[in-house]
């Protein structure tokens, strides 16, 4: 049957509408699938079951230093610690708040002695820092920062 008024057959309009609905559904599904909120690996928070690519060590491990930029002395040890936490690379794995890292555990409130132990041991999930890359003052400042942000 051919309708003179619209120039279409009776099935063309429903078919076009169906195609429109399918296109819209596919578009929304694509956006949904690519959204950061649906990507498990972009979830905030440490996932202890996070599977990392296997590491192959060639030769002796090279001690880590972080970006090794100079940190201007700050009067406030907490502020000094916050800057060191970023510059020495801790924040990139543990998260700036020490609790929102994707690949590393929560470390808020860790004392300086434990920091010394953990930063000199490696390589493992975490790199070993080079001897002298973190001074006692650096670790004390980082500990002060981790203590300060641990408060609710
Ligand atoms: C390359 C990523 C990475 C960097 C950089 C890094 N860490 Fe870690 N850290 C980890 C991972 C992964 C673990 C857990 C596995 C392990 O202990 O080997 C960890 C464990 C720790 C722990 C022990 C936590 C626990 O509950 O046992 C402390 C404390 C810590 N890190 C402090 C630091 C400090 C301070 C810095 C910066 C000077 C730093 N980390 C830099 C990845 C990192």
């Amino acid at each position: 049957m051919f309708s003179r008024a619209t120039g279409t057959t009776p099935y063309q309009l429903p078919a076009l509408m169906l195609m429109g609905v399918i296109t819209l559904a596919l578009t929304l599904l694509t956006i949904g699938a690519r959204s950061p909120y649906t990507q498990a690996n972009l979830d905030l928070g440490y996932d202890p079951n996070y599977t990392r690519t296997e590491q192959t060590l060639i030769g002796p491990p090279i001690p880590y230093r972080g970006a090794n930029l100079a940190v201007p002395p700050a009067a406030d040890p907490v502020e000094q610690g916050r800057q060191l936490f970023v510059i020495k690379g801790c924040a990139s794995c543990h998260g700036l708040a020490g609790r929102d890292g994707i690949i590393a555990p929560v470390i808020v409130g860790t004392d300086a002695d434990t920091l010394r132990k953990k930063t000199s041991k490696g390589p493992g999930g975490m790199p070993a820092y080079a001897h002298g890359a973190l001074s006692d003052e650096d670790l004390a400042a980082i500990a002060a920062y981790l203590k300060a942000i641990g408060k609710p």
Side-chain angles (χ1 to χ4, degrees):
M1 209 202 341
F2 184 80
S3 154
R4 209 168 270 285
T6 60
T8 57
T9 61
Y11 300 114
Q12 263 178 336
L13 197 60
L16 272 175
M17 284 169 71
L18 187 65
M19 275 166 63
V21 168
I22 290 172
T23 310
L24 183 70
L26 285 178
T27 309
L28 290 176
L29 278 174
T30 311
I31 293 170
R34 294 176 60 92
S35 156
Y37 302 107
T38 56
Q39 291 285 335
N41 60 352
L42 291 179
D43 267 357
L44 276 189
Y46 176 52
D47 175 5
N49 298 318
Y50 186 92
T51 321
R52 306 183 77 195
T53 311
E54 208 177 307
Q55 298 172 4
T56 302
L57 299 177
I58 302 166
I62 298 163
Y64 187 63
R65 296 185 163 273
N68 212 24
L69 301 169
V71 182
D76 178 12
V78 173
E79 174 56 21
Q80 181 88 3
R82 192 178 70 89
Q83 295 186 15
L84 285 165
F85 198 69
V86 173
I87 284 168
K88 300 293 181 183
C90 322
S92 59
C93 292
H94 290 280
L96 186 59
R99 71 181 88 200
D100 48 4
I102 291 160
I103 62 152
V106 176
I107 56 165
V108 283
T110 311
D111 60 85
D113 281 348
T114 311
L115 289 182
R116 168 64 75 205
K117 250 181 256 143
K118 295 286 178 182
T119 51
S120 50
K121 166 188 106 178
M126 180 168 147
Y129 278 73
H131 186 72
L134 290 164
S135 67
D136 287 344
E137 293 77 43
D138 289 351
L139 289 172
I142 292 175
Y145 170 67
L146 290 175
K147 194 173 168 210
I149 58 176
K151 288 182 193 135

